[in-house]
Each structure stands twice: as structure tokens, then as C-alpha cells.
Amino acid sequence: RVTGVQTCALPIFKTVLVLAGGLKRQYSDMDERLVLMRILRDANMPKFTYDDVPLFLGLISDLFPGMDCPRVGFEGLKNEVLIELEKNGYKCSDDKVFAQQADKCIQMYETMAVRWTSMIVGPTGGGKTVILDTLCAARKPADNVIVKQFVISAKSQPLNALYGVMDPATRDWTDGLLSNIFRDMNKPVPEGRDERRYIVYDGDVDAVWVENMNSVMDDSRLLTLPNGARIRLQPWCSMICECFDLQYASAATISRCGMVWIDPKDLGYMPFYERWVRTVCGNSVEVDEEKLALSQTLMDLFQKYVPKLLDFMLAFTGWDRRREADPGDPSDVIEHGAAACLLRSEEHTSELQSP
């Protein structure tokens, strides 16, 4: 008899086996232990938080002592991701942080390659939307693939407006917002055109609406509407849930989805400030020549006062500074509070630009 825990674990086992089989076919001479280590690492790394990554890497080192292998590069796509991030003004001075943001796009790509439903999860300020938009834009120059996103806030709609409703008197069926989008995105792609279509659920994932999608997330890939109609999710279509957390989602739903965790601690607060300075003193991508002095002054003042002020404020909050291994890594409240103050650009831009 298969228990509930085993049922939830089976999709995870299947993903690891599918990835391992593909890697072994691609590199037939590679040691099977190395194949398994590489897949276990690359398939699970996107799911872990900032604090859990070192623990997981230590566990992998204990399971496979003396073995190491660089992860799959996807160099063409990664280069286009870096170009897109820089073109839109998201390049920061810390090359490690910048490379990590690009790597999150690649992790999202890898996850979507083996799961037709993926979840990108994390607090506000981590860059979830930026990662999705950057990945979609980079697919065109990298792979000549056109990506269309259909964004919907499922939580804000009642079920009848979401899936549709049947008139009890006339038996007439009216499509809902989600069923209508789902039907349109699964229409055939024009001949000779390579296209991907993503439906993005922006907001909380809970049992009120998402349980009806479980049959789409598993191998049947079928959406069954209240009127009995069935719509199959086609190979060129995928579903993405962009949410803050998964506290309201069931284990059955989570186990059917690929998972990418976006932690604001990986990003920090400096990229927010640097982009704000470039916006005040330029076009958000680069600083105007006549405002180089102003931008340098803003950066110097920030570096001189803000880190010390944050430490001073944290000293009175009772925060235990469990992450103080990185001195520039304040708590979520202070980090997002500082970012929110800095991003009130309309008021402050006019003040700073005035003589």
C-alpha cells in the first residue's frame, strides 16, 4: 500500500531519475556516482534558503566524499540573461551577487525543463518578477524561442469567476477568467514558430482554488471544468506560481511542482540603492557624465553612515544577528524598510536634481 508521504515523494524521485537518465545519456563515460551527486545537487539547490545552502552542500560532501563537478552551464542562455539584466539596469557592483541572480534564472529554466508546473517562492524584494521577465526575454536571443506570459491573480477572484459557472436554469456555460486564458494558451502554435506560453499565478497558493489544478500538475495534465469539459495542457505551455510562501498549500500540490526559492538575503540591499542612484543621476542603467560627482557623493555617504546606522538600530531590537557572518546583511525588516525609503524616487529625485 502506498502511503500519503510516499505519494508526495514519488514525483521527486521521478524528477531525479529523469534528470539522471538524461545526464547519463549525454555523458555516457561519466561515473554513475558523479551523475547522481550532480543531479541531487542541481535538482535541490534551488529549493534551499540562504541559511540552508551551506548545510546542504556539506551533506552532499559527506555523501560523496572527494567528488566535485561544476554544474551545467547553459552558457548561451546565461550570457543573454546577463545582458538582459544589465540592459534593464539590474547590474550591481558586487559581481558575486550579480552572477547569483543570473544563476537563479538558470535554475528556474532547469526546473521548468522537467516540470510543467513550477513555483517561484520568496519574500518581496528578492527579485522574483525580475527573474521571470529576464528569463523570458533571454530565450529569444539565446534559443530563438518566443515566450508569452499570461499573469493572473487567482486569489483575488471567486471560484465562479475563475473557473466558470453554469446557469442552473438554462444550463448555459460561461467561461471564467482562468478557464478562458487556459483555453486560449493551449491553442496550436503557428507553423514554423517556436513559442512557449506561461500562465503565471501571482499571489497566495491555497486549497480554495489550486486544488482544482492538481490534475493539471500531475501526469494527466488535464483541467476539468465544472461543466465536464476537459482541456489538456500542451507541451508548449507551463504554469508558474509566484508567491510569498506556501503555508496554505497542501503537500499534494507542492509535491507536484518544481520549486525555486528566491531569498532576499542573496540579493542584499546594495543593489536597490545602486539602482536608485543610477535612476536619480541617470537612466537607471548608467550615470550621466554631468552627475558623476553627485552619484559618487551619494554612494560615499551611504557607505559611511547606513551600515553603521543599521547595526545601531538592530542593537535595540533584540535581534540576535544570526546572520552576522556577513556584516552587510541586516534583518528582513531593516533591509526592506531601507529599500522602501530609498525607492520613493519621485519625491527625492526632484529634490536631489534641484540646484
Short mmCIF file of all heavy atoms in Angstrom, two decimals, residues 3 37 40 77 88 92 106 125 130 144 173 176 194 198 212 285 292 305 314 324:
data_model
loop_
_atom_site.label_atom_id
_atom_site.label_comp_id
_atom_site.label_asym_id
_atom_site.label_seq_id
_atom_site.Cartn_x
_atom_site.Cartn_y
_atom_site.Cartn_z
N THR A 3 1.53 4.99 0.95
CA THR A 3 1.06 5.96 1.94
C THR A 3 1.07 7.36 1.33
O THR A 3 1.61 7.60 0.25
CB THR A 3 1.96 5.93 3.18
OG1 THR A 3 3.27 6.37 2.81
CG2 THR A 3 2.04 4.53 3.75
N MET A 37 25.46 12.50 -7.82
CA MET A 37 25.82 13.65 -6.99
C MET A 37 25.44 14.95 -7.67
O MET A 37 24.87 15.86 -7.06
CB MET A 37 27.33 13.63 -6.70
CG MET A 37 27.82 14.74 -5.77
SD MET A 37 28.23 16.29 -6.59
CE MET A 37 29.72 15.83 -7.47
N LEU A 40 21.52 15.33 -7.73
CA LEU A 40 20.98 15.63 -6.40
C LEU A 40 21.30 17.06 -6.00
O LEU A 40 20.47 17.74 -5.39
CB LEU A 40 21.55 14.64 -5.37
CG LEU A 40 21.00 13.22 -5.43
CD1 LEU A 40 21.76 12.33 -4.44
CD2 LEU A 40 19.51 13.19 -5.12
N LEU A 77 22.49 30.77 -22.90
CA LEU A 77 21.36 31.38 -22.20
C LEU A 77 21.84 32.27 -21.06
O LEU A 77 21.31 33.37 -20.85
CB LEU A 77 20.43 30.29 -21.67
CG LEU A 77 19.21 30.76 -20.88
CD1 LEU A 77 18.33 31.66 -21.73
CD2 LEU A 77 18.40 29.58 -20.36
N ASN A 88 18.56 46.30 -18.44
CA ASN A 88 17.43 46.85 -17.69
C ASN A 88 17.84 47.51 -16.37
O ASN A 88 16.99 47.83 -15.55
CB ASN A 88 16.41 45.75 -17.42
CG ASN A 88 15.71 45.29 -18.67
OD1 ASN A 88 15.00 46.06 -19.32
ND2 ASN A 88 15.90 44.03 -19.06
N CYS A 92 24.77 45.12 -10.55
CA CYS A 92 25.26 45.76 -9.33
C CYS A 92 26.78 45.65 -9.27
O CYS A 92 27.41 44.94 -10.05
CB CYS A 92 24.63 45.10 -8.09
SG CYS A 92 24.89 43.33 -7.97
N ILE A 106 18.83 30.64 -14.42
CA ILE A 106 19.17 29.34 -14.98
C ILE A 106 18.51 28.23 -14.16
O ILE A 106 18.03 27.23 -14.72
CB ILE A 106 20.70 29.16 -15.02
CG1 ILE A 106 21.34 30.27 -15.85
CG2 ILE A 106 21.05 27.79 -15.60
CD1 ILE A 106 20.85 30.33 -17.29
N GLY A 125 10.95 41.63 -2.57
CA GLY A 125 12.27 42.24 -2.59
C GLY A 125 13.37 41.31 -3.02
O GLY A 125 14.53 41.73 -3.12
N VAL A 130 11.54 39.98 -11.60
CA VAL A 130 12.69 40.31 -12.45
C VAL A 130 13.28 39.03 -13.05
O VAL A 130 13.64 38.99 -14.23
CB VAL A 130 13.75 41.07 -11.64
CG1 VAL A 130 15.06 41.21 -12.43
CG2 VAL A 130 13.24 42.45 -11.25
N ASN A 144 16.06 31.46 -29.81
CA ASN A 144 15.06 31.84 -30.82
C ASN A 144 13.67 31.33 -30.43
O ASN A 144 12.89 30.86 -31.27
CB ASN A 144 15.45 31.33 -32.21
CG ASN A 144 14.69 32.05 -33.31
OD1 ASN A 144 14.29 33.21 -33.15
ND2 ASN A 144 14.46 31.37 -34.42
N TRP A 173 -23.28 27.55 -20.26
CA TRP A 173 -21.98 27.62 -19.62
C TRP A 173 -21.28 28.93 -19.97
O TRP A 173 -21.25 29.34 -21.13
CB TRP A 173 -21.10 26.44 -20.04
CG TRP A 173 -19.66 26.58 -19.59
CD1 TRP A 173 -18.59 26.94 -20.34
CD2 TRP A 173 -19.17 26.39 -18.26
NE1 TRP A 173 -17.45 26.97 -19.59
CE2 TRP A 173 -17.78 26.63 -18.29
CE3 TRP A 173 -19.77 26.02 -17.06
CZ2 TRP A 173 -16.98 26.53 -17.17
CZ3 TRP A 173 -18.97 25.92 -15.93
CH2 TRP A 173 -17.60 26.17 -16.00
N GLY A 176 -14.86 31.14 -17.14
CA GLY A 176 -14.28 32.07 -16.19
C GLY A 176 -12.98 32.65 -16.74
O GLY A 176 -12.53 32.32 -17.84
N ASP A 194 8.57 28.81 -32.99
CA ASP A 194 8.89 28.17 -31.72
C ASP A 194 8.44 29.10 -30.59
O ASP A 194 9.00 30.19 -30.42
CB ASP A 194 10.40 27.90 -31.62
CG ASP A 194 10.72 26.87 -30.54
OD1 ASP A 194 9.79 26.45 -29.84
OD2 ASP A 194 11.91 26.51 -30.41
N TYR A 198 3.38 30.78 -20.84
CA TYR A 198 3.36 30.56 -19.40
C TYR A 198 2.16 31.28 -18.80
O TYR A 198 1.93 32.46 -19.09
CB TYR A 198 4.63 31.11 -18.74
CG TYR A 198 5.93 30.54 -19.25
CD1 TYR A 198 7.12 31.27 -19.17
CD2 TYR A 198 5.99 29.27 -19.83
CE1 TYR A 198 8.31 30.76 -19.63
CE2 TYR A 198 7.17 28.76 -20.30
CZ TYR A 198 8.34 29.51 -20.21
OH TYR A 198 9.52 29.00 -20.69
N ASN A 212 -8.10 22.44 -7.57
CA ASN A 212 -8.69 22.08 -8.86
C ASN A 212 -7.65 21.93 -9.96
O ASN A 212 -7.95 21.40 -11.03
CB ASN A 212 -9.72 23.15 -9.28
CG ASN A 212 -10.91 23.20 -8.35
OD1 ASN A 212 -11.41 22.17 -7.91
ND2 ASN A 212 -11.36 24.40 -8.02
N VAL A 285 20.42 52.73 -15.92
CA VAL A 285 21.43 51.82 -16.43
C VAL A 285 22.83 52.38 -16.20
O VAL A 285 23.74 51.68 -15.76
CB VAL A 285 21.21 51.54 -17.93
CG1 VAL A 285 22.30 50.62 -18.48
CG2 VAL A 285 19.83 50.93 -18.15
N LEU A 292 28.15 62.65 -12.31
CA LEU A 292 29.05 61.67 -11.70
C LEU A 292 29.42 62.05 -10.28
O LEU A 292 29.51 61.21 -9.39
CB LEU A 292 30.31 61.52 -12.56
CG LEU A 292 30.15 60.74 -13.86
CD1 LEU A 292 31.44 60.82 -14.68
CD2 LEU A 292 29.81 59.29 -13.56
N TYR A 305 27.53 55.96 6.42
CA TYR A 305 26.56 56.06 7.51
C TYR A 305 25.58 54.89 7.61
O TYR A 305 25.26 54.45 8.72
CB TYR A 305 25.75 57.36 7.37
CG TYR A 305 26.58 58.61 7.58
CD1 TYR A 305 26.87 59.45 6.51
CD2 TYR A 305 27.07 58.94 8.84
CE1 TYR A 305 27.63 60.60 6.70
CE2 TYR A 305 27.84 60.08 9.03
CZ TYR A 305 28.11 60.90 7.95
OH TYR A 305 28.87 62.02 8.14
N LEU A 314 19.64 47.73 14.97
CA LEU A 314 19.45 46.32 15.30
C LEU A 314 19.84 46.03 16.74
O LEU A 314 19.31 45.12 17.36
CB LEU A 314 20.27 45.45 14.36
CG LEU A 314 19.75 45.35 12.92
CD1 LEU A 314 20.76 44.68 12.02
CD2 LEU A 314 18.44 44.56 12.90
N GLU A 324 25.22 37.37 11.13
CA GLU A 324 26.23 38.41 11.17
C GLU A 324 27.57 37.96 10.61
O GLU A 324 28.54 38.71 10.65
CB GLU A 324 26.41 38.96 12.58
CG GLU A 324 26.92 37.93 13.60
CD GLU A 324 26.98 38.52 14.99
OE1 GLU A 324 26.76 39.73 15.11
OE2 GLU A 324 27.26 37.78 15.93
#
